[in-house]
C-alpha cells in the first residue's frame, strides 16, 4: 500500500489526536527506521524512550517467540512464571518490596495514586491530598492529568480529580508551604521529561525525602521515562541518595511491548488488600518475559557505564554547540541519554522538520526544547552525526 493511501485511511478511520509527519514507518533495524518509500531515518526518539535496544534486537525477539509459543495470556486469576520472575528481578534490583503490574505508564501512575490514598486513608489516619509539581507530566487519564502541572492538559476535561496542590519543582519551600495534616503524598519526577527535561537537584529530592519522613507522607517517584538505564544508572533515584516509597515504570521495561509497573515498599503494600486494584492484561506472560530479557541486558557488565559515557559525550557535544550558537540555544538540559536543547529563535517543531529533511528523527518537549532520546545502544559516531546535522541546521537558520 502506498504512503498517500495509508495516510488517507488513517485520517478516515483513526481518531485524529496526533499530528503526524507525512511518511509511514514500515520496519526498523538497530537504531534506524525505514518508511514505505525506502527512506532510512536515524532514530533519536526511540519510541519515546521505549525501544531501549533499538529495533530487531535478537534477545528481545527470541523472548517474544519462546513465550508466545508456550502461553500468551491467562489473566491475573492465575499464577504465571514470567510475572513472578520479573517481580523478583525488579524487587531485588531496587528499593522495593512489592510490584503491581499493568499495561502502561499512565496506568502505573493511576495505581500509585490509588495506593497512596488507600495508605493515607487507612494507615495514616485519613490523609488523602497530593502535592504535585508545576510543569510535571504523568499521563493522559483523568487521575494522571489531574496530577500533571500543565494546564493545557486540563482544558476541556474538567472537573479534575480533587485534592491536588501544585508546588514549584526544585523549590522545597514551595512544597513545605502546601503541606497540611491531610497531605498523604508528594508526587515528583526526578527529571521532568515531557515538561522540558528539568533535572531535579540533590538538595530538592533529598529535602523531599526528609520532609515526607518528618510529616508522615509518602514520596512517589515517576521514572516512567527516565528509569531503566536512561540516565546512566538503572534508576534515576540512585543518583540522588534517596529512595521513594512508590515508583512507577513503563516505556523501556517492555522492550517495545506495553507494560507498566508500580513498585512500592512493604509499608505501602500492607495497606492494599485483595480486590483493591486489578489489570486484566497486567504482567502478560509474553511482555513479562521480554521485560526479564531487558532487565538482564541492562544488568550486563559495563552496559550502564557505557550508557553514562555516551550520555556525557552527547551532552558535551551539545554544550559546545550551545557555546557556538548562543543566540539560538540558551541551555542544554538533561542527564545520560535524555538531553534537550532549549531553542530560542524558532519553535521546536521547525527544528524537527529540518532534522527529518536530513533523515533524522528527534522529538520536542515542553514549549521550547528539542529532545534527543536515542536507543541506549546508540554509538558515539551516530551521536556525532546528529549533532553535526544540528550544527548545519543552526548555521543555515
Amino acid at each position: 500500500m502506498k504512503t498517500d493511501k495509508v495516510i488517507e485511511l488513517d485520517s478516515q478511520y483513526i481518531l485524529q489526536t496526533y499530528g503526524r509527519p507525512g511518511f509511514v514507518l514500515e520496519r526498523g533495524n538497530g537504531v534506524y527506521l525505514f518508511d514505505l518509500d525506502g527512506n532510512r531515518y536515524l532514530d533519536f526518539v526511540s519510541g519515546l524512550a521505549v525501544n531501549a535496544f533499538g529495533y530487531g534486537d535478537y534477545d528481545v525477539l527470541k523472548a517474544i517467540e519462546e513465550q508466545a509459543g508456550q502461553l500468551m495470556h491467562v489473566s491475573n486469576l492465575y499464577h504465571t512464571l514470567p510475572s513472578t520472575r520479573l517481580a523478583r528481578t525488579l524487587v531485588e534490583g531496587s528499593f522495593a518490596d512489592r510490584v503491581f503490574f499493568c499495561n502502561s505508564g499512565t496506568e502505573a501512575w493511576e495505581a500509585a495514586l490509588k495506593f497512596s490514598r488507600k495508605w493515607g486513608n487507612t494507615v495514616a489516619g485519613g490523609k488523602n491530598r497530593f502535592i504535585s509539581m508545576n510543569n510535571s507530566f504523568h499521563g493522559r487519564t483523568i487521575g494522571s492529568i489531574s496530577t500533571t502541572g500543565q494546564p493545557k492538559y486540563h482544558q476541556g476535561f474538567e472537573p479534575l480529580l480533587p485534592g491536588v496542590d501544585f508546588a514549584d519543582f526544585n523549590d522545597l519551600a514551595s512544597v513545605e508551604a502546601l503541606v497540611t495534616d491531610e497531605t498523604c503524598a508528594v508526587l515528583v519526577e526526578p527529571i521532568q521529561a515531557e515538561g522540558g527535561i528539568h533535572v531535579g537537584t540533590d538538595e530538592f529530592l533529598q529535602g523531599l525525602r526528609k520532609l515526607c519522613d518528618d510529616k508522615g507522607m509518602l514520596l512517589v517517584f515517576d521514572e516512567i521515562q527516565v528509569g531503566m538505564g536512561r540516565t546512566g544508572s538503572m534508576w534515576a533515584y540512585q543518583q540522588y541518595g534517596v529512595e521513594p516509597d512508590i515508583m512507577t515504570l513503563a516505556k523501556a521495561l517492555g522492550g517495545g511491548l506495553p507494560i507498566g509497573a508500580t513498585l512500592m515498599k512493604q509499608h505501602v503494600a500492607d495497606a492494599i488488600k485483595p480486590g483493591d486494584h486489578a489489570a486484566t492484561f497486567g504482567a502478560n506472560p509474553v511482555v513479562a518475559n521480554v521485560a526479564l530479557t531487558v532487565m538482564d541486558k541492562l544488568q550486563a557488565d559495563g552496559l550502564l557505564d557505557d550508557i553514562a559515557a555516551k550520555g556525557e559525550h552527547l551532552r558535551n557535544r551539545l554544550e559546545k554547540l550551545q557555546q557556538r550558537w548562543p543566540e539560538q540555544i540558551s541551555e542544554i538540559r538533561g542527564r545520560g541519554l535524555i538531553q534537550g536543547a532549549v531553542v530560542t529563535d524558532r519553535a521546536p517543531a521547525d527544528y524537527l522538520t529540518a532534522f527529518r529533511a536530513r533523515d533524522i528523527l528527534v522529538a520536542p518537549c515542553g514549549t521550547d526544547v528539542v529532545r534527543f532520546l536515542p536507543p541506549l545502544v546508540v554509538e558515539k559516531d551516530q551521536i556525532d552525526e546528529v549533532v553535526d546535522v544540528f550544527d548545519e541546521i543552526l548555521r543555515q537558520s
Side-chain angles (χ1 to χ4, degrees), residues 186-229:
V186 176
L187 317 174
V188 66
E189 302 157 276
I191 299 175
Q192 290 188 330
E194 294 297 328
I197 315 183
H198 298 276
V199 178
T201 65
D202 291 355
E203 294 77 11
F204 180 62
L205 294 179
Q206 291 169 7
L208 290 182
R209 179 68 276 175
K210 184 178 186 304
L211 178 64
C212 288
D213 290 340
D214 291 345
K215 299 295 185 178
M217 304 180 298
L218 300 179
L219 181 59
V220 183
F221 275 11
D222 178 341
E223 292 210 14
I224 289 166
Q225 186 165 149
V226 302
M228 302 295 300

Side-chain angles (χ1 to χ4, degrees), residues 107-271:
E107 288 179 62
W109 192 249
E110 290 286 334
L113 299 180
K114 286 185 66 176
F115 299 160
S116 296
R117 278 200 167 163
K118 184 69 187 296
W119 176 88
N121 283 323
T122 56
V123 176
K127 296 183 176 184
N128 52 42
R129 296 191 67 86
F130 298 119
I131 297 176
S132 191
M133 302 298 143
N134 289 317
N135 204 49
S136 59
F137 180 84
H138 299 294
R140 300 284 190 154
T141 53
I142 286 294
S144 294
I145 66 169
S146 296
T147 52
T148 288
Q150 298 188 59
K152 66 181 181 180
Y153 294 110
H154 305 165
Q155 294 171 6
F157 301 106
E158 301 89 348
L160 301 179
L161 186 74
V164 183
D165 302 307
F166 289 96
D168 292 330
F169 189 65
N170 279 336
D171 184 347
L172 186 61
S174 74
V175 180
E176 293 171 335
L178 293 174
V179 175
T180 72
D181 291 340
E182 297 179 335
T183 307
C184 69
V186 176
L187 317 174
V188 66
E189 302 157 276
I191 299 175
Q192 290 188 330
E194 294 297 328
I197 315 183
H198 298 276
V199 178
T201 65
D202 291 355
E203 294 77 11
F204 180 62
L205 294 179
Q206 291 169 7
L208 290 182
R209 179 68 276 175
K210 184 178 186 304
L211 178 64
C212 288
D213 290 340
D214 291 345
K215 299 295 185 178
M217 304 180 298
L218 300 179
L219 181 59
V220 183
F221 275 11
D222 178 341
E223 292 210 14
I224 289 166
Q225 186 165 149
V226 302
M228 302 295 300
R230 178 57 60 179
T231 63
S233 56
M234 181 64 79
W235 316 116
Y237 76 78
Q238 293 171 321
Q239 300 184 26
Y240 291 94
V242 300
E243 292 183 349
D245 300 288
I246 301 175
M247 180 174 73
T248 55
L249 303 174
K251 293 192 182 292
L253 181 59
L257 297 181
I259 187 173
T262 307
L263 281 60
M264 70 206 79
K265 291 187 175 182
Q266 188 62 46
H267 68 92
V268 178
D270 287 340

Side-chain angles (χ1 to χ4, degrees), residues 76 100-103 107 111 114-115 275-282:
N76 280 305
F100 175 83
F101 290 115
C102 53
N103 314 290
E107 288 179 62
K114 286 185 66 176
F115 299 160
D276 278 350
H277 201 46
T280 298
F281 291 99

